[in-house]
Amino acid sequence: MSERQDEFLNRLRANAQAVEAVLADLLSGDCRPEEIARPARLLAAMRHGVLNGGKRLRPFLVVETAALFPAAEPAAALRVGAALECIHCYSLVHDDLPAMDDDDLRRGQPTVHVAFDEAAAILAGDSLLTLAFDTIAAPETRLDDATKVALVLALSRAAGIGGMVGGQTLDLAAETDRPEEAGIVTLQAMKTGALIRFACEAGAILAGASDGDRLTLRRYGETVGLAFQIADDLLDLTADAATLGKATGKDAGRGKATLVARRGQAWAEDRLRALVAEAGTLLAPFGARAEILAETARFIANRRS
Amino acid sequence: MSERQDEFLNRLRANAQAVEAVLADLLSGDCRPEEIARPARLLAAMRHGVLNGGKRLRPFLVVETAALFPAAEPAAALRVGAALECIHCYSLVHDDLPAMDDDDLRRGQPTVHVAFDEAAAILAGDSLLTLAFDTIAAPETRLDDATKVALVLALSRAAGIGGMVGGQTLDLAAETDRPEEAGIVTLQAMKTGALIRFACEAGAILAGASDGDRLTLRRYGETVGLAFQIADDLLDLTADAATLGKATGKDAGRGKATLVARRGQAWAEDRLRALVAEAGTLLAPFGARAEILAETARFIANRRS
């Protein structure tokens, strides 16, 4: 392993620990001002869905894109990353429900509706989604009000009907609709792309970056979002469940033709190389500061779990 | 009917129409900036759950408490009210799911999971919840950034684990837990009280009211929230399904003893009178401007559907 990869993995791990600490604090039993009570079972279901040792890739993207700008406050970036992780985790809890993807296993553990019940999983997802906006707006997140409003707006657009939730709708429909390639691209840009793009743009928003830098990081986010999805589809095609900690071969089993399944493994590997190169080109103006983000693109393209 | 009641009902109806128009615009097929696409079936499910001719009582409370203050912009209050209604409607869509209260009928119409399917109902609820925060943060809502942040924070605390969602968790558990009266009071303050309290406090927040006035309206909100719940429990005990447009007698059928079921109809009617009087006392400092809000308390206490 190269020194650069080594440094990348160290930073990714250190960030995951820092995010985990913020999430554990957000999901402690202590009531916040205005809260009446935190019912123990709901809190336990939320914690089960969140505090599960994930890589925390989306918060990492927020923190590392923010770190390109000296003005950004790392603690604020970490809290915005934790808010985003609440959204990501809620979407997994709801997607795993019997009425949706019907998965029993997530990161090698029983999913929330299996460990608790369906009602608890629905409500845990709802309150995690709500908690994300709470976390951005809370006084503990030291950002000015205009920045918080911009983040709430960008996050809600990325997560709602025109982004992630809309994408999940299209994904469920794809089992019977069998969309053409353009349809698959839109579906994936919404279902997984929108949140990854937000992660990269959020760093620029909270740092008060110029419009040009914000646009560049947005494009970087779109690029790694595409790489993420292709790597995911490749894994679904080639990995085994033990490595992945969740069921594999599901897409084909449901008649969902991913781009990778249609075009083949060689195409996917070529495409991943091109996307990593594109990410590098986009990051070039930031110079050496952006090396970690270039390594992140490689990591996303090459991940095997 | 008195002239005052007449004026109240006219304003309630006019407000419901205005709220419906804002909601219809929020739920139009046009993509907002940053949105990739609005899948038609998800949008239809959201519209089914929202555009159903409700009384729009919560938005009315936002608009009328804001109207106590000359500085408040009515159009902004209306949009905040519409955001709140998105949260209220999402909670009904999720509460009606088979894994929760399992209701087929809502306002005389099939519930979202019956008219569409369970996955659509889960996702429609998720995107309505997200849309609420989008709507507050959007540039079309003409409020300063500090006010928007205060509204996002207060709404997320009222709607999340420490408020409405936590209350729904306790409510589901009550079927087996059989809580004592103190437990029932907490459950109801969370499940229905928190959002009604927010509605009344939101008017003060968006008007930039003094801390004293904000506290008074918060107490008014708690008072009408209690009245709302007692009237609701009384209706569950005494009304028939045709009048109500939904199933009745459900609480007893599920072994959930409401305060009204425990203490009886006469107690409930006494308590409602006392709460209406308390609302009037709280509103007295606002003088004649607050007559509509006093009438609202009477309406909430006396409603028969």
Side-chain angles (χ1 to χ4, degrees), chain A residues 192-247:
Chain A
T192 56
L195 231 52
I196 291 175
R197 187 179 80 180
F198 169 81
C200 300
E201 202 170 354
I205 295 173
L206 70 88
S210 69
D211 287 353
D213 284 347
R214 179 170 166 175
L215 184 61
T216 300
L217 289 173
R218 182 189 169 89
R219 287 202 184 130
Y220 166 79
E222 287 168 350
T223 305
V224 296
L226 284 170
F228 183 92
Q229 188 62 55
I230 291 170
D232 214 50
D233 292 343
L234 202 52
L235 280 168
D236 190 77
L237 206 65
T238 61
D240 60 87
T243 312
L244 219 52
K246 62 179 182 181

Side-chain angles (χ1 to χ4, degrees), chain B residues 154-165:
Chain B
L155 179 55
S156 56
R157 296 268 159 98
I161 180 176
M164 185 185 71
V165 176

Side-chain angles (χ1 to χ4, degrees), chain B residues 39-41 59 78 80 118 162 170 177 187 197 210 214 243 255 297 301:
Chain B
R41 192 160 185 272
L78 195 60
V80 173
E118 280 187 55
L170 296 176
D177 288 359
L187 180 173
R197 186 179 80 181
S210 70
R214 179 169 167 174
T243 312

Side-chain angles (χ1 to χ4, degrees), chain A residues 250-261:
Chain A
K250 292 184 311 182
D251 296 335
R254 288 173 182 160
K256 284 199 283 193
T258 66
L259 289 186
V260 174

